[in-house]
Amino acid sequence: QVQLVESGGGLVQAGGSLRVSCAASGGTFSMYTMGWFRQAPGKEREFVAAITWGGDSTYYADSVKGRFTISRDDAKNTVYLQMNSLKPEDTAVYACAASRLIVWRALLRPNSYDYWGQGTQVTVSS
């Protein structure tokens, strides 16, 4: 059983930057692909980014490509999401998730992930 805890959310002005983190415990972190999803009020959960185990491959939603960067530190059992040039439409609860899969099409789907964190709120003001 893997436990995931996010941190680092908050309020930032449009154009600003924020880094959210996800600390894992209870499993072999290095063997999991890690993903970030977000959900805004009244909207469905949306894929943001994923990084495969070993960090060999990263994937991004078109809406964040070039602005967000996902990375992982297996020594710290932590995955990060660096968010730059933030926009008001990036406002959402951001949650990390762990998956055994590495195929990018599967990683876009929430049901491909086995474990989820509770999420952290990111609010971007205009």
Side-chain angles (χ1 to χ4, degrees):
Q1 190 79 5
V2 176
Q3 292 83 43
L4 302 173
V5 179
E6 300 92 341
S7 61
L11 174 64
V12 64
Q13 288 189 330
S17 298
L18 204 61
R19 187 178 79 161
V20 291
S21 303
C22 170
S25 61
T28 307
F29 176 77
S30 60
M31 294 178 63
Y32 286 92
T33 291
M34 299 301 297
W36 284 98
F37 286 76
R38 66 186 182 186
Q39 188 166 20
K43 295 188 177 181
E44 291 188 356
R45 185 174 286 179
E46 174 188 26
F47 171 80
V48 176
I51 184 167
T52 56
W53 49 267
D56 292 341
S57 298
T58 56
Y59 307 105
Y60 297 93
D62 288 343
S63 58
V64 307
K65 202 171 293 184
R67 300 187 298 123
F68 291 12
T69 302
I70 188 171
S71 62
R72 64 189 298 158
D73 185 339
D74 288 349
K76 296 182 178 180
N77 288 353
T78 301
V79 62
Y80 305 97
L81 185 68
Q82 177 67 43
M83 302 181 289
N84 300 327
S85 302
L86 282 161
K87 305 174 182 180
E89 51 263 44
D90 294 318
T91 295
V93 173
Y94 284 71
C96 64
S99 172
R100 291 283 195 178
L101 303 177
I102 60 172
V103 177
W104 75 272
R105 287 186 184 275
L107 296 175
L108 302 179
R109 300 191 298 265
N111 61 9
S112 294
Y113 293 79
D114 304 301
Y115 304 101
W116 290 84
Q118 293 283 77
T120 184
Q121 177 71 45
V122 172
T123 303
V124 184
S125 63
S126 57

